[in-house]
Amino acid sequence: MDISPEVTQREEYKIFSSHIANSDSTETTLEQFSKYTNSSLSNDKLETHLRETWNSILHIASQKPHSSEQQDSLVKLLQALVTQADPLNDSNGKAVEIDGSKVWQDLPLFGQQVRECWNFPDDQEVNKKTRDAWINVNAFIARLTATAVNEHGGERQEYGALDFSLYGIWSLRSALEEELSNLPGKTTIDASIGAAAVWILYAGPAIKGLSESEKSFSGKVAKPGFNCKDKEWRGYTKDRWQLWTENLAQTEDMVQDGGIKELVKKAVETMKS
């Protein structure tokens, strides 16, 4: 994961840390954040400010346990940014856009920052801190996706910027369609399996709905993993969901950490229910 620890020195990080540490109201945090954003706009530093904002949120999410109220709080704050934050206008009263995306409705650059941190070092044995951070950030992005996609696989239009369902395929594919024994160590295996499990725990109904509605993606971004290379999958499918259900149950014996074993058990129960 590529989230610089230097982000903790930024004002954006301090605002969001205060929000979850002190249970600040959403309205209070949005007001404080808006004031800081307006100063960034006047200083022509908006894009830098946005990247620091998203990095701050992602860093906090990676450090908070996936089941924590702090993650819930961050999800709700992003929802509020999309639907409640005052539109950002320039000096001429025109709505500010970046690459055609409105601030805040479309969360410009957020997707780019998520993609930049989506680089798990699976070519080496990781430590427990890296393992937990990877599982936590997967859970956070899964939570956002569950906000954006309903149980029938349909997108809630107002939260379209929070739909990262493709990332769910990437994590599930890594753990359930590749040869886990090829990974360099037990902690790395735990991280891969744990990441897949939290996607099911926090976005299971949405993922099942996407599978039943056969949502596909362009090109080969959602292609099958090596162990399923004979398949023609380009997204979510019913038989892919079935394979994930079967394979996730089989991964439990490969997990060394007791907490992650419990995650897997709960995820399998969710898939079978």
Side-chain angles (χ1 to χ4, degrees):
M1 289 176 58
D2 300 325
I3 305 175
S4 172
E6 294 177 0
V7 73
T8 59
Q9 305 303 314
R10 308 292 186 184
E11 185 63 25
E12 296 90 344
Y13 178 88
K14 294 175 183 177
I15 291 172
F16 297 126
S17 291
S18 174
H19 174 75
I20 64 172
N22 303 314
S23 298
D24 295 339
S25 71
T26 299
E27 292 75 14
T28 298
T29 301
L30 287 182
E31 182 179 355
Q32 183 183 7
F33 183 64
S34 293
K35 288 180 179 179
Y36 188 73
T37 297
N38 287 331
S39 67
S40 299
L41 178 62
S42 62
N43 293 327
D44 197 29
K45 296 179 180 179
L46 181 59
E47 288 198 26
T48 298
H49 166 58
L50 288 174
R51 293 188 188 281
E52 296 297 347
T53 294
W54 309 141
N55 277 333
S56 296
I57 289 175
L58 290 166
H59 181 79
I60 294 171
S62 74
Q63 300 305 305
K64 300 302 178 184
H66 58 84
S67 60
S68 66
E69 292 182 0
Q70 289 95 336
Q71 283 221 6
D72 279 335
S73 182
L74 285 177
V75 170
K76 291 175 182 176
L77 190 60
L78 274 174
Q79 289 178 284
L81 268 178
V82 170
T83 60
Q84 298 177 29
D86 293 332
L88 191 63
N89 297 321
D90 61 21
S91 57
N92 297 317
K94 184 179 178 181
V96 175
E97 294 186 0
I98 294 180
D99 296 333
S101 296
K102 296 178 181 178
V103 182
W104 294 99
Q105 180 180 338
D106 301 322
L107 302 183
L109 305 181
F110 181 54
Q112 289 185 24
Q113 295 309 118
V114 173
R115 183 64 186 91
E116 287 187 15
C117 84
W118 215 260
N119 296 297
F120 182 68
D122 58 6
D123 59 342
Q124 58 188 339
E125 173 69 326
V126 299
N127 57 34
K128 292 182 179 180
K129 182 178 180 180
T130 299
R131 176 201 69 190
D132 292 345
W134 180 239
I135 292 173
N136 291 340
V137 81
N138 268 269
F140 178 64
I141 299 303
R143 286 173 179 268
L144 295 180
T145 300
T147 291
V149 180
N150 63 37
E151 67 273 18
H152 304 294
E155 187 174 277
R156 299 182 177 98
Q157 294 301 320
E158 70 272 30
Y159 295 125
L162 301 178
D163 180 359
F164 290 91
S165 50
L166 175 60
Y167 290 61
I169 284 185
W170 290 347
S171 289
L172 288 159
R173 178 175 66 195
S174 294
L176 307 177
E177 298 176 14
E178 303 286 356
E179 193 58 60
L180 286 172
S181 60
N182 290 335
L183 292 177
K186 292 182 177 180
T187 306
T188 304
I189 291 174
D190 280 8
S192 182
I193 297 172
V198 292
W199 269 96
I200 300 302
L201 282 178
Y202 297 109
I207 291 176
K208 186 175 183 180
L210 291 168
S211 300
E212 291 177 346
S213 62
E214 305 267 330
K215 178 178 180 177
S216 62
F217 298 86
S218 59
K220 296 183 178 180
V221 292
K223 66 181 181 180
F226 181 80
N227 288 344
C228 307
K229 59 185 178 181
D230 59 324
K231 303 291 185 180
E232 297 182 357
W233 297 330
R234 292 295 180 266
Y236 287 94
T237 71
K238 295 175 183 177
D239 60 332
R240 198 171 199 176
W241 170 267
Q242 183 60 39
L243 179 135
W244 288 339
T245 303
E246 295 169 358
N247 286 1
L248 185 59
Q250 295 173 9
T251 64
E252 186 180 337
D253 291 337
M254 300 186 70
V255 176
Q256 66 169 351
D257 181 84
I260 297 177
K261 279 184 180 289
E262 286 302 311
L263 284 182
V264 172
K265 287 181 180 178
K266 292 178 181 178
V268 171
E269 290 172 2
T270 296
M271 297 186 86
K272 291 181 176 180
S273 64

